[in-house]
Amino acid sequence: MPWTAHVVVDGPDVGIQVDTFAEYPDEIVVFAAQFFTKTLAFYRVSTIDGTLVASRIIDDTNIDNAYSVALVDLNGDGQKQILTNNHEKNDNLNGVFVYPLPADMMTGEWTKFTIADHFVNAWSLFIPNMSPGFPYAVYPNGNTNERAHILIAGDGDHKAHILAPVGDENSFDYKDYMIVDANGTVGALAYADLDGDGFLEMYMPNYDKGYIEVFKMSAAGSNGEQQFLAQ
């Protein structure tokens, strides 16, 4: 028997994440990155009858073409944030952003922190490139009690990046390291510790060249920077 679609709300298009909160019993909260309406928002949906209970726009003035959304705890202190990015042709408008959750999501202030920006799109003759691609909060050595690093698929900038936390442990300050210049579109990344040595590997598809590369994470080197070894 085919599934029946029930439209809850119009708007979400590219990325969503669903979560639950104690203050909203019998509901799910759908966080949505809305590319075409240039909006970051969330929707409270009843788990009893599937109706829309309430919604709120988080940002529709400073996000531009919103592209992804993930609920994370970047500093390991139990405080949640939204990790998101936009996806732009203009190098001066693009970036990766963090919005800490206010105590009351419906009435509190949502503050935007820019943690990386100015991804330089590679030149293309026929189709303009757009960047960045998706960001991912990761723990290179598997220790989730530490501050998270953030992998970024550069997409139109043809690179893979990692943001390493710097500064105060409660801040959203990061240093951007380029892992590799792929000379091809890096639309998404995957990560896992498949060899079981305690450190993640990063799996990077190259859309234009038609292959996947694996980069092994290892302990920080003498300069304090995370090490990546191509496999």
Side-chain angles (χ1 to χ4, degrees), residues 65-78:
N65 296 105
Y67 201 57
S68 72
V69 59
L71 192 63
V72 296
D73 176 4
L74 292 175
N75 293 332
D77 57 5

Side-chain angles (χ1 to χ4, degrees), residues 129-174:
N129 282 309
M130 301 177 73
S131 63
F134 304 122
Y136 310 84
V138 300
Y139 303 88
N141 62 0
N143 186 354
T144 57
N145 293 320
E146 298 179 350
R147 292 176 66 188
H149 288 56
I150 300 170
L151 288 172
I152 302 173
D155 206 321
D157 83 343
H158 290 186
K159 299 175 176 66
H161 305 253
I162 190 166
L163 303 184
V166 296
D168 184 85
E169 63 181 9
N170 297 315
S171 72
F172 300 111
D173 296 329
Y174 298 86

Side-chain angles (χ1 to χ4, degrees), residues 30-46:
V30 182
F31 296 94
Q34 302 177 190
F35 182 89
F36 292 103
T37 60
K38 299 185 177 182
T39 300
L40 187 66
F42 69 87
Y43 302 87
R44 292 167 46 196
V45 181
S46 169

Side-chain angles (χ1 to χ4, degrees), residues 8-221:
V8 177
V9 66
D10 293 323
D13 46 36
V14 178
I16 66 169
Q17 179 164 335
V18 178
D19 215 316
T20 58
F21 293 83
E23 57 266 41
Y24 306 133
D26 300 319
E27 296 177 15
I28 57 171
V29 177
V30 182
F31 296 94
Q34 302 177 190
F35 182 89
F36 292 103
T37 60
K38 299 185 177 182
T39 300
L40 187 66
F42 69 87
Y43 302 87
R44 292 167 46 196
V45 181
S46 169
T47 57
I48 297 174
D49 60 11
T51 58
L52 180 65
V53 177
S55 65
R56 185 180 179 191
I57 291 174
I58 298 169
D59 190 351
D60 64 353
T61 57
N62 299 304
I63 188 69
D64 289 303
N65 296 105
Y67 201 57
S68 72
V69 59
L71 192 63
V72 296
D73 176 4
L74 292 175
N75 293 332
D77 57 5
Q79 303 299 309
K80 296 292 185 69
Q81 305 88 34
I82 290 176
L83 175 64
T84 184
N85 70 297
N86 60 17
H87 194 60
E88 306 293 332
K89 298 175 185 176
N90 188 333
D91 302 345
N92 295 317
L93 297 179
N94 63 34
V96 178
F97 316 107
V98 171
Y99 294 78
L101 269 63
D104 187 324
M105 294 198 301
M106 293 300 297
T107 63
E109 180 180 0
W110 290 84
T111 303
K112 175 187 174 185
F113 293 86
T114 300
I115 59 174
D117 57 6
H118 296 292
F119 294 84
V120 179
N121 283 297
W123 183 82
S124 176
L125 177 61
F126 299 107
I127 301 175
N129 282 309
M130 301 177 73
S131 63
F134 304 122
Y136 310 84
V138 300
Y139 303 88
N141 62 0
N143 186 354
T144 57
N145 293 320
E146 298 179 350
R147 292 176 66 188
H149 288 56
I150 300 170
L151 288 172
I152 302 173
D155 206 321
D157 83 343
H158 290 186
K159 299 175 176 66
H161 305 253
I162 190 166
L163 303 184
V166 296
D168 184 85
E169 63 181 9
N170 297 315
S171 72
F172 300 111
D173 296 329
Y174 298 86
K175 185 173 181 179
D176 185 353
Y177 295 97
M178 183 184 70
I179 300 171
V180 60
D181 186 344
N183 293 308
T185 303
V186 182
L189 300 170
Y191 54 91
D193 178 18
L194 294 184
D195 62 7
D197 72 343
F199 286 91
L200 295 179
E201 302 94 47
M202 180 192 76
Y203 300 82
M204 185 194 75
N206 189 317
Y207 177 83
D208 298 304
K209 296 186 176 181
Y211 57 72
I212 297 174
E213 286 186 287
V214 182
F215 292 83
K216 170 127 187 85
M217 301 186 191
S218 65

